[in-house]
Amino acid sequence: QSVLTQPPSASGTPGQRVTISCSGITSNIGSNPVNWYQRLPGTAPKLLIYNNDQRPSGVPDRFAGSKSGASASLAIGGLQSDDEADYYCSTWDDNLAGVLFGGGTKLTVL
Amino acid sequence: QVQLQQWGAGLLKPSETLSLTCAVDGGSLSAYYWTWIRLPPGKGLEWLGEITHSGSAKYSPSLKSRVTVTVDTSKNEFSLKVTSVTAADTAVYYCARVQRWSLPGRGSYYYMDVWGKGATVTVAS
C-alpha cells in the first residue's frame, strides 16, 4: 500500500479539465516538493511536473501542478486521447529517508 | 541527449539473484545520482535505492537487506542486485537519472528526469 494516496482512476471527455489528487503527510508532501510522472501504455515513466509546478521542456502548459500543505494536485486541461496513461505523484520522505510514490491514477479519455 | 540502456536476466527462479545493469550513453555518471525503480504488475512504482558516481549508496528500508547498487565509472554504468528473489519481486525494473538537492527550509528536491526503457523480470518456479 502506497503512503501517498491517489484515486485509482479518473476520466474525462476530450476538451475537459481533469484533476488528480495526491495526499500525504507532514514528513513527505508537507515538507518537500512534489513531482508527477506520466506512464503511457507500454512505456517508461516520463517526468511531467517537478518541484510542485515546474514543467520540463516539451511538456505542454495544459499540464499544471500545485501543492497546498500535505496535498498536491495535477490538472490536465483540454483533455486529449493521447493523455490516456497512468499518472504517479512522488516526493521525498524525511522519516523514510527515501522516495515515495503514489499508487498511480489511471486516466481514461471517454 | 543522455540515454539509459539497461539489460539483465528476465526469468529467475525463487531464491536466485536478480542482476541488472544500466549504461549511461551521451553523458557522464559524474555530478548526478542514479536510481533503480520497479513497477510490479497491478501496483504502483517503488523506489529501490540510489547511488552516486563515487559509489555512495542508499536503499529503501523495506528492501535494504536484499538490494545492492554499484557503479562502474570506467564503463559509465551502474548496476542492481536483488538477492533471494520471490514472486513478489516480479516487476518491470527501471533505471533513471536523479536530480537531487536540498535547500534549508525548502525541503529535499528529488526527481527522475531521464529513464531507461525498463526490463521485465519474472520470478517463477
Side-chain angles (χ1 to χ4, degrees), chain A residues 1-24:
Chain A
Q1 186 173 354
S2 303
V3 178
L4 303 182
T5 302
Q6 297 181 236
S9 64
S11 63
T13 56
Q16 269 192 331
R17 182 175 185 270
V18 169
T19 300
I20 297 172
S21 62
C22 177
S23 297

Side-chain angles (χ1 to χ4, degrees), chain A residues 2-108:
Chain A
S2 303
V3 178
L4 303 182
T5 302
Q6 297 181 236
S9 64
S11 63
T13 56
Q16 269 192 331
R17 182 175 185 270
V18 169
T19 300
I20 297 172
S21 62
C22 177
S23 297
I25 59 176
T26 302
S27 64
N28 43 64
I29 294 179
S31 299
N32 302 299
V34 175
N35 315 298
W36 291 89
Y37 300 90
Q38 176 194 58
R39 194 179 75 88
L40 297 169
T43 69
K46 167 191 166 185
L47 180 65
L48 196 65
I49 297 287
Y50 66 99
N51 298 351
N52 299 327
D53 56 10
Q54 302 299 300
R55 285 184 304 276
S57 174
V59 174
D61 59 7
R62 302 188 295 108
F63 295 90
S66 62
K67 186 183 109 167
S68 178
S71 295
S73 293
L74 172 70
I76 307 173
L79 205 57
Q80 301 177 1
S81 58
D82 290 350
D83 296 334
E84 276 208 347
D86 294 324
Y87 293 85
Y88 296 90
C89 60
S90 176
T91 189
W92 182 263
D93 187 283
D94 294 336
N95 291 341
L96 184 72
V99 177
L100 290 177
F101 288 95
T105 298
K106 184 176 183 61
L107 175 65
T108 301

Side-chain angles (χ1 to χ4, degrees), chain A residues 2 31-33 35 37 39 42-47 50-51 88 90-92 94 96-104, chain B residues 37 39 43-47 50 58-62 94 100-101 105-113 115-118:
Chain A
S2 303
S31 299
N32 302 299
N35 315 298
Y37 300 90
R39 194 179 75 88
T43 69
K46 167 191 166 185
L47 180 65
Y50 66 99
N51 298 351
Y88 296 90
S90 176
T91 189
W92 182 263
D94 294 336
L96 184 72
V99 177
L100 290 177
F101 288 95
Chain B
I37 291 158
L39 181 63
K43 297 185 178 181
L45 294 166
E46 181 181 15
W47 179 77
E50 65 175 17
K58 179 189 288 289
Y59 304 113
S60 167
S62 64
Y94 298 98
R100 184 186 200 273
W101 69 94
R106 300 286 295 276
S108 297
Y109 295 73
Y110 195 116
Y111 59 89
M112 285 66 74
D113 64 343
W115 292 69
K117 292 186 176 181

Side-chain angles (χ1 to χ4, degrees), chain B residues 13-58:
Chain B
K13 290 181 167 48
S15 81
E16 291 184 334
T17 296
L18 179 158
S19 183
L20 297 172
T21 298
C22 185
V24 180
D25 292 338
S28 173
L29 279 171
S30 301
Y32 289 100
Y33 286 72
W34 304 89
T35 189
W36 289 95
I37 291 158
R38 69 182 182 182
L39 181 63
K43 297 185 178 181
L45 294 166
E46 181 181 15
W47 179 77
L48 303 181
E50 65 175 17
I51 195 161
T52 67
H53 68 281
S54 60
S56 176
K58 179 189 288 289

Side-chain angles (χ1 to χ4, degrees), chain B residues 59-100:
Chain B
Y59 304 113
S60 167
S62 64
L63 289 163
K64 187 175 182 178
S65 63
R66 297 195 296 124
V67 172
T68 303
V69 180
T70 56
V71 65
D72 186 336
T73 54
S74 67
K75 295 182 179 180
N76 226 30
E77 298 174 352
F78 60 104
S79 299
L80 170 74
K81 287 192 188 302
V82 180
T83 60
S84 304
V85 298
T86 69
D89 295 307
T90 294
V92 180
Y93 286 75
Y94 298 98
C95 58
R97 187 178 76 176
V98 179
Q99 299 282 358
R100 184 186 200 273

